[in-house]
Amino acid sequence: GHSTLDMARPVRTGRGEVVFAEGKKTEHLLEIVEVFLSRGENLLVSRVREDQLGPLLERFPRLVYHAEARCCTHVASPPPPCAHRVGVVTGGTSDVPVAEEAAITCEFYGVGVERVYDVGVAGINRLLARLEEMRSLRALVVVAGMEGALPSVVAGLVDRPVIGVPTSVGYGAALEGMTPLLAMLTSCVPGLAVVNIDNGFGAGYLASLIARL
Amino acid sequence: GHSTLDMARPVRTGRGEVVFAEGKKTEHLLEIVEVFLSRGENLLVSRVREDQLGPLLERFPRLVYHAEARCCTHVASPPPPCAHRVGVVTGGTSDVPVAEEAAITCEFYGVGVERVYDVGVAGINRLLARLEEMRSLRALVVVAGMEGALPSVVAGLVDRPVIGVPTSVGYGAALEGMTPLLAMLTSCVPGLAVVNIDNGFGAGYLASLIARL
Amino acid sequence: GHSTLDMARPVRTGRGEVVFAEGKKTEHLLEIVEVFLSRGENLLVSRVREDQLGPLLERFPRLVYHAEARCCTHVASPPPPCAHRVGVVTGGTSDVPVAEEAAITCEFYGVGVERVYDVGVAGINRLLARLEEMRSLRALVVVAGMEGALPSVVAGLVDRPVIGVPTSVGYGAALEGMTPLLAMLTSCVPGLAVVNIDNGFGAGYLASLIARL
Amino acid sequence: GHSTLDMARPVRTGRGEVVFAEGKKTEHLLEIVEVFLSRGENLLVSRVREDQLGPLLERFPRLVYHAEARCCTHVASPPPPCAHRVGVVTGGTSDVPVAEEAAITCEFYGVGVERVYDVGVAGINRLLARLEEMRSLRALVVVAGMEGALPSVVAGLVDRPVIGVPTSVGYGAALEGMTPLLAMLTSCVPGLAVVNIDNGFGAGYLASLIARL
Amino acid sequence: GHSTLDMARPVRTGRGEVVFAEGKKTEHLLEIVEVFLSRGENLLVSRVREDQLGPLLERFPRLVYHAEARCCTHVASPPPPCAHRVGVVTGGTSDVPVAEEAAITCEFYGVGVERVYDVGVAGINRLLARLEEMRSLRALVVVAGMEGALPSVVAGLVDRPVIGVPTSVGYGAALEGMTPLLAMLTSCVPGLAVVNIDNGFGAGYLASLIARL
Amino acid sequence: GHSTLDMARPVRTGRGEVVFAEGKKTEHLLEIVEVFLSRGENLLVSRVREDQLGPLLERFPRLVYHAEARCCTHVASPPPPCAHRVGVVTGGTSDVPVAEEAAITCEFYGVGVERVYDVGVAGINRLLARLEEMRSLRALVVVAGMEGALPSVVAGLVDRPVIGVPTSVGYGAALEGMTPLLAMLTSCVPGLAVVNIDNGFGAGYLASLIARL
Amino acid sequence: GHSTLDMARPVRTGRGEVVFAEGKKTEHLLEIVEVFLSRGENLLVSRVREDQLGPLLERFPRLVYHAEARCCTHVASPPPPCAHRVGVVTGGTSDVPVAEEAAITCEFYGVGVERVYDVGVAGINRLLARLEEMRSLRALVVVAGMEGALPSVVAGLVDRPVIGVPTSVGYGAALEGMTPLLAMLTSCVPGLAVVNIDNGFGAGYLASLIARL
Amino acid sequence: GHSTLDMARPVRTGRGEVVFAEGKKTEHLLEIVEVFLSRGENLLVSRVREDQLGPLLERFPRLVYHAEARCCTHVASPPPPCAHRVGVVTGGTSDVPVAEEAAITCEFYGVGVERVYDVGVAGINRLLARLEEMRSLRALVVVAGMEGALPSVVAGLVDRPVIGVPTSVGYGAALEGMTPLLAMLTSCVPGLAVVNIDNGFGAGYLASLIARL
Ligand SMILES: Nc1ncnc2c1ncn2[C@@H]1O[C@H](COP(=O)(O)O)[C@@H](O)[C@H]1O
Ligand SMILES: Nc1ncnc2c1ncn2[C@@H]1O[C@H](COP(=O)(O)O)[C@@H](O)[C@H]1O
Ligand SMILES: Nc1ncnc2c1ncn2[C@@H]1O[C@H](COP(=O)(O)O)[C@@H](O)[C@H]1O
Ligand SMILES: Nc1ncnc2c1ncn2[C@@H]1O[C@H](COP(=O)(O)O)[C@@H](O)[C@H]1O
Ligand SMILES: [Mg+2]
Ligand SMILES: [Mg+2]
Ligand SMILES: [Mg+2]
Ligand SMILES: [Mg+2]
Ligand SMILES: [Mg+2]
Ligand SMILES: [Mg+2]
Ligand SMILES: [Mg+2]
Ligand SMILES: [Mg+2]
């Protein structure tokens, strides 16, 4: 009753479908997943809540659970191979769950990922050590909380499209991610655009779109 | 004295240099432009204030002024041709100056532009009439003020990277562009990332980077 | 002791009374409901908390519970029939509880409702498919979270009064509904006014008022 | 070049066209007005800047200027008569320009207006004295700045659709109209919806839409 | 160790001491209460958490608990009688806990209180019915959430000092009390000043100070 | 036309009338002042703009202009003498215009004023030197910008009603007065209430009301 | 996998390493602590959650737990003695946990601490009584919530570097610490800089850096 | 009249006096400068407006004007020499006026300054080239607008006290400096504290205080 499935979209795009689990009642989630799996489509279920996980995996044992990314995938038919790879970079270890959501999303769409984690501006030598690797990639997803400076620094060093993902890591003046969001938007370095706070999925989707151009 | 020119960057990127005129004293602006032109580089001077324009064009008659985009360019050696084109789309006519800044930036970097202006959600048939054209482009810069809904609608219809540019067009609850900025960031459609309010330059730079991948 | 019942209002307006349950202690809620039911009035109890539901239904078995709308109604004497119908539209399935609150409120006041759910801008063809139906209605309640673009799009396509209801669906830059609220208020399309975040009741009340003019 | 005129709209709605002058260059404004007038349509030009007024009236002597509302109208063919009237109410005298924009808009669409000005909550007896008059109207546009309490009070006394228009009148904590906007949205009285700060046009448009149902 | 008791204050002011319980560990709270009671002073313990209540009353059976106001008092020596009374007024029943905090505070300082509850602007006749009573009082504490209009209306009708107390009652655009706070501050009626959101204690303290002048 | 004079108020309160000049057109201002003066009432015209001053004093030579307070007064019949005095205190010299508005307002209502200027927390010994004087007054208006700490400090030292007036003095994080406003509202000292930013009139009005109780 | 340890830093600075426990999974925390302890380094684990404390102390009995500061330390080799001492000052008792975090951090880096607690502006005599002591110290960490006035007052009285630490103590307009943060930043007294809300660690680190210059 | 000069302060601190010119009327400014110069004190007049400059220099030819810092100084008796130097660093050239205010302030207090300008994160090699120089200084003032990342990067590389100064350079999401302010406050690197937006004076004052310890 409550859902109007958009059949045009997956057909037109040839991309797998995505379900956002977090705000849904478990029974509704199961119904929707049922529909997509029964149609033999590739499926990514993102932001799976802990209480949804058991019922989901029990009913659909085909689903693969990615714990850190908090998502499930089912690949019925692998997407065509992609010649290019994408980088996923984080400032700290607390940003890793969001980064993994981006990475799993890229991989779900058939794009390989290079992970460059915990190389934030507090010790910039860690970042400099991996520059060449980063310059060989097609696009970079850069995930950072607190002051959100890392995407600017990366965009200044690597001439590739950079997608900044602010995270809600931090407290007080970090304003639950609003501060790194605003900081990334006002970056003095061009070549950088930004997605919503903690939106690893959106960043991974866009990066894979660019990698497949 | 006050500037530390970053010689590494244009050499490494092979891209023309950009000077942000708005916040600079005219004498400082003239000095900086002098340096870059004397080195025979391609140059884009963005956000030229009215009082800067006369002295600038008088001293450097080579500069071409783009009135609606409020910027000047000098192309010493044209960039290599690019096989792909970029679309620049606006919601209304008041968004055109920001859109032109994006378009001129793309063209400065050698990437052709398709302009699709005044096709906002108030009369969505205007947008639907140009869908096929938009689907043939490499990336889309979508410029909108007020409620900022257009990038979402475009990203829902076209499977290309979309760069949303919120503008400060509007009043009251538009919060000088903060409202369309936030709206674009929370878009329910993936494939979209966002740059700062009125930042046509940043969007054009990123679009040209993607078109040239 | 703590309540000053406004006897003038239901008499003057001839409309049923409404009790907002959420912020009340269960014992106070029961007392107030008691008073209204004993006077033989139509009653709508909105935003019933889970812990209030049991005691409420046990003590007043006459009350009908509407689970998705989280409200209870008792219709002692049905309101006079209304020739016109109202549409309740949502962007996604997560907006349905707020939409149901609006719909039940309309029906409580005797106004029929057409439900048009999950037709948001991510797949605008779903909305276009139901345009004629929407044009036949007296007023439209349009419920959307995240970027809140749907009321603008609807108001651009249907020449009926549109009441926008922003929802707190979304995260990060959605600012718990403040972003769709601001976006709806700055709509570039006229014919649209807005109520508080998640305020399905207020929208339904106003829509029924318009339908009965 | 920059405008994509939406021919479908005025034809479909049978309502006169509106041009928002404030953000436009005078030459662009003149061109657009030219197009509409030459097609023999009714036209409302809102928010005319002082520097635009002279050229506008000189070139189009047919236009009627409404000084307090800061708008011009031309009625080529009067709209069909409307049986119902609308009320426009203000809290203070400083709110009158916004109120006049609403009133002129209603009248442009052929709906008669009752003006009830300067009856704010500082001296509530002034409002009570005009209650019966207000109850005879089809819808009420209530304009108020500062604490924005008037629409709530009116909606509590009159069972008609109320459209609240917050104004930027006030200083300090009035936050340029954001405070009355938020206050109206959180009204404890139903039957009230809100438009953008200072948006007399939007309120008048919606009120006339309701009056003509 | 952690507290520096300010002995000068109660001696100088001759007013009972107040302890703010909410943020304190129970053991620290008990120690501080011990000190004050052992000195034979009048004591008001405000904002007592549920988990603190048992231990507090068990150890100090002399304390009187005021459930709705969530505070405890002990009056060792009653304050001198006060010739004047203070009014405590609320918009709705949900504002009563804050109002009771104000009322108990006044009474603790020996000032009698007239309670006028649930007379908000949704049904203004309830307020008008009690005007004469309110005009006979020395000062008025007016407590309201949501749009916070009541203090303005009261100050427009009664020529007494009005202390506005915004409450966190409401949702969405009520911004946890920030909206009524801002609304009260921008009141168009003079004779009104404001305290922090939900700060019944502060309002009651100031009202009793005025009543005793 | 646009004004609804509230005749009930000055009669009922026996207090002089006040006109807020700032937002009014000069011709409207002159008309309103004409009405009040012709009725022989005491009149305070606050926030007179520079361009209004000449016409105002030329037409009404009886008006006395108070330059620092930017207001004009005419006292037709002096108010009855008041036994109590009020203190007006500022943190710095930039706060003096707001303080003078408060002081002139008190004097207009017949209440004597003690001025204690430039005694802010940067050099607290200046404040301590004048404590005894301040303790002899009936109420204190304390005016401060920037961090707005002075009202708290004064309320901690003097057991009189304190009315805090935040000013827009400061820059950056002072947020045009919002920071001292919020700071005063969250004061850890009771006995203090707050009016709008720069609202010297409101503070003086309330102080005189208290002094006359 | 997820961490890139910055070996350069502790070697270069000769300062002990710090681990921020709060946002980490217990197993990750244990691993990181393991690495540092096994290298024989001094270690400070800050913001230890209750559920982390047991496993941490059980596995590393060498760690010393500081309950009020919510942190653990292990000093393998004491830092060289420091000739200077630092003061840690609070406005109230609720600010003590943040203050203790600052104090323990200083001591961890070998700098002695003078604690001056609960001397806020509500009773300024408590502060004045300890002025001489404070003037003998090298730098002052001043911790305050609510209106955050204390650092200004201290900086006005003591000519030493003052580091202001706003706390989230307070409610309503305290905005979870944003209000004291903004207030400290706009202080009218020089000699004061500010760290993030509740950031006792950052303040203690900087104070010890200054003391060791 | 309006000023209460704090004689205790310059005597106690032995530091020159500072006058903040911006908000003062020229005549008041001249009076205050007169007083200080006549007492033979060192004087710094900061934020001199253009219209104040002529009268100031004409009346007090002894004053030295520093154009970029927009301030005037008079050194009657040079402060004692200081063994240590301070660094003043900027992200871009637009930050230089604020940086110069900091530098002139340090020099006024007798502390030498190393200027390191235009070394922002867009080209981080410019910063790395000057690291050794920066490590030899006593404290660093780091000035940056837009995303405000530079102080974090510097604090991660140099183990000296860093004072971050956010500037209002930038547009849109830079929020007139609020974004770099918040970013600096949430820095993931310790050793950094922050002053108000554009507050070069405050940063220079604190840096000189630290250099002289
Ligand atoms: N219109 C613009 N908006 C935002 N950034 C710009 C703009 N124009 C130039 N920039 C950036 O500013 C840098 C030049 O700044 P500057 O060194 O101050 O001239 C360029 O490298 C661009 O990245
Ligand atoms: N004063 C106004 N405030 C808000 N929207 C307006 C106003 N006047 C006109 N509009 C809207 O703006 C549209 C015209 O915009 P434009 O095409 O830029 O002239 C009209 O269709 C109206 O919906
Ligand atoms: N409910 C309350 N809200 C605000 N402030 C309060 C409240 N109760 C007590 N206070 C203030 O808090 C002070 C006591 O704080 P404390 O020393 O932390 O117990 C009293 O002197 C009162 O001024
Ligand atoms: N400076 C002021 N700030 C705030 N309110 C004021 C001020 N001066 C006058 N008022 C209020 O504004 C009312 C007059 O408004 P008006 O009818 O628009 O002239 C008076 O009754 C005062 O309550
Ligand atoms: Mg790390
Ligand atoms: Mg248009
Ligand atoms: Mg859907
Ligand atoms: Mg009036
Ligand atoms: Mg009620
Ligand atoms: Mg001073
Ligand atoms: Mg205390
Ligand atoms: Mg540069």
Side-chain angles (χ1 to χ4, degrees), chain F residues 51-124:
Chain F
D51 66 291
Q52 295 171 325
L53 189 61
L56 201 62
L57 294 182
E58 192 173 317
R59 175 126 157 231
F60 309 106
R62 275 169 295 179
L63 288 175
V64 179
Y65 181 57
H66 309 267
E68 275 198 298
R70 285 162 308 158
C71 63
C72 294
T73 51
H74 171 69
V75 178
S77 50
C82 172
H84 304 293
R85 291 173 74 75
V86 154
V88 177
V89 184
T90 78
T93 55
S94 314
D95 304 316
V96 167
V98 175
E100 279 298 309
E101 193 183 78
I104 296 296
T105 301
C106 279
E107 291 169 353
F108 173 70
Y109 290 118
V111 177
V113 172
E114 211 63 52
R115 286 160 170 86
V116 184
Y117 288 172
D118 194 24
V119 296
V121 298
I124 211 161

Side-chain angles (χ1 to χ4, degrees), chain B residues 68 93 117-118 126 171 173, chain D residues 2-4 6 47 196-197 199:
Chain B
E68 274 198 299
T93 55
Y117 288 172
D118 194 24
R126 299 175 298 179
Y171 59 88
Chain D
H2 292 349
S3 300
T4 305
D6 185 6
R47 298 211 172 191
N196 196 7
I197 298 163
N199 190 2

